[in-house]
Amino acid sequence: MKKERIIKKAQSCLSTVLCLGVTLLAASGEISAQDIVEEQVVPTQAERDYSFSEVVTESVTGDVYSDKAAANWQDLSYSNLFSKGWDKPWVSPPNGGGGAPRQGWLSAYQGVFYRLGIAVFGWQHDPNNTGDGYTGNLVNFTPLNQRFEIETDIPMVSNRGGASSDSQTNFGDFRITPRIILSESRDVTQSFNVAFRTPTGNSFNGNNVAAITPQYEFWASSWKGLVVRGGAGFSIPYSGDINRSGVRSTFNANLAVGYYFTPHDFTPIGDMVWYLSTNVSQAIDNRAQSSGTFVSLAPGFRTHIGQNWFLLGSVEIPVTNPQPFGYQVLGGIMKVY
């Protein structure tokens, strides 16, 4: 009994004096250090089980950016695609191996999950002098668990010049995009998205089209602030005013490379990244005589201006003919919540 009491005291080590006493007893031979090691039990915290509503609530409203939440992040892989991550709340993933954060850029594919809202304004210059155009979108990313997220794109304003320099301002085609994480490690994230475009706009602005867009995306960063992201997919219109809108079935691809120069808290130029994004679109239907190959280059930036508000910008320049526009300037104000 005496030996057991001494062992229990050694396990708790409630004070420096007590620990010293145990050490002296061990030295005297009454108990051995091996007794203490064998009897000591390190308590482990059981992994919490969440209900469906708890997973969604924590993902949407929980403190997903704290150090405590970060401890709940886990690697995901193709092998456990249907068994891991669906029953756990989403938490903000760690920076890449080189320290670059997982963030979104304009004119580039996403690849990773976020919890944020962004207002994007775009202005297109028409090289044919038939009138410039502009757009205004509200985009929101809402993760529901570690594997699944919903992206919504609300085109509040869609304006495009007509044949006689006339123009119309209308609501655009609303899009909703379920997104699934295929795999995620510290250095690489891969996702698969299926965007559903609804015919809520006007064909004058190239809208009023229903389409489905399956798309693979990736994000990678393992060396310092360098990030490489991109992907490929198809856009397939299937109903609506397709002919009048001029929308075609296309193969689409993107590759973007950027480098982060400043830390997150170095506001108003925190997380300052400069990047170059390349977009390719190749028509795959027979609704026009030309092949319709489109390639553009889009240099851009993103910076943290404080309190998880971010400023984004990009200029997209077509490098193939015929050009649907001369160039397009995009600007965005974003809030991470």
Side-chain angles (χ1 to χ4, degrees), residues 264-280:
H264 177 75
D265 295 330
F266 198 62
T267 57
I269 55 171
D271 285 339
M272 171 61 76
V273 58
W274 291 91
Y275 62 89
L276 178 65
S277 179
T278 302
N279 287 286
V280 178

Side-chain angles (χ1 to χ4, degrees), residues 132-154:
D132 297 337
Y134 56 87
T135 57
N137 295 335
L138 294 177
V139 185
N140 197 74
F141 294 88
T142 307
L144 302 181
N145 56 52
Q146 293 182 3
R147 285 282 189 179
F148 187 72
E149 176 179 75
I150 295 291
E151 175 187 351
T152 55
D153 188 335
I154 305 174

